Amino acid sequence: QVQLVESGGGLVQAGGSLRLSCAASGSLRSIFAMGWYRQPPGEQRELVARISNGGVTDYADSVKGRFTIARDNAKNTVYLQMNSLKPEDTAVYYCNANIRGYYSTTRDYWGPGTQVTVSS
């Protein structure tokens, strides 16, 4: 069984910062790409940032220069540092990871989500 658990969400004023963390645990064999998605109220889930197991990153245009994704392979953890937050960043943020388990084929896993609310 593979699980992803997010932490670090909360309420922050515009211009503030938050750091999200997501740890993968369970019967892990290999973790490939990891990333963060978000779903604003009434909208579809969208990619925020992702990072390959080699450290190559990709960001949505709306967060470039403000958010930074990083990973610690030894801890099976991915982070999202969010600076200069705006009210439009308000959403549920989901961790995603492409994982090969010892007892399962390679597939995408999702965390339960963490709420980020940015007040104006």
Side-chain angles (χ1 to χ4, degrees):
Q1 189 78 0
V2 174
Q3 288 185 322
L4 299 179
V5 178
E6 302 111 336
S7 60
L11 173 64
V12 64
Q13 289 188 333
S17 299
L18 283 174
R19 188 191 192 211
L20 305 182
S21 300
C22 171
S25 63
S27 302
L28 305 172
R29 184 168 184 177
S30 300
I31 303 178
F32 304 106
M34 303 183 82
W36 291 94
Y37 290 70
R38 66 187 182 188
Q39 187 165 13
E43 299 183 30
Q44 292 188 332
R45 194 173 297 188
E46 61 183 11
L47 173 68
V48 176
R50 58 190 170 194
I51 184 168
S52 72
N53 55 352
V56 178
T57 59
D58 184 29
Y59 294 93
D61 288 343
S62 60
V63 306
K64 283 181 180 177
R66 300 189 298 122
F67 291 10
T68 302
I69 190 169
R71 64 191 285 171
D72 184 333
N73 291 331
K75 296 182 179 180
N76 296 330
T77 299
V78 63
Y79 306 95
L80 186 68
Q81 178 66 44
M82 304 185 293
N83 299 328
S84 302
L85 282 160
K86 305 175 181 180
E88 51 264 43
D89 294 317
T90 294
V92 178
Y93 283 69
Y94 296 92
C95 175
N96 169 272
N98 189 248
I99 295 173
R100 182 180 179 186
Y102 279 104
Y103 308 110
S104 60
T105 58
T106 303
R107 69 173 183 92
D108 279 348
Y109 289 84
W110 293 89
T114 185
Q115 178 70 46
V116 171
T117 303
V118 184
S119 61
S120 57

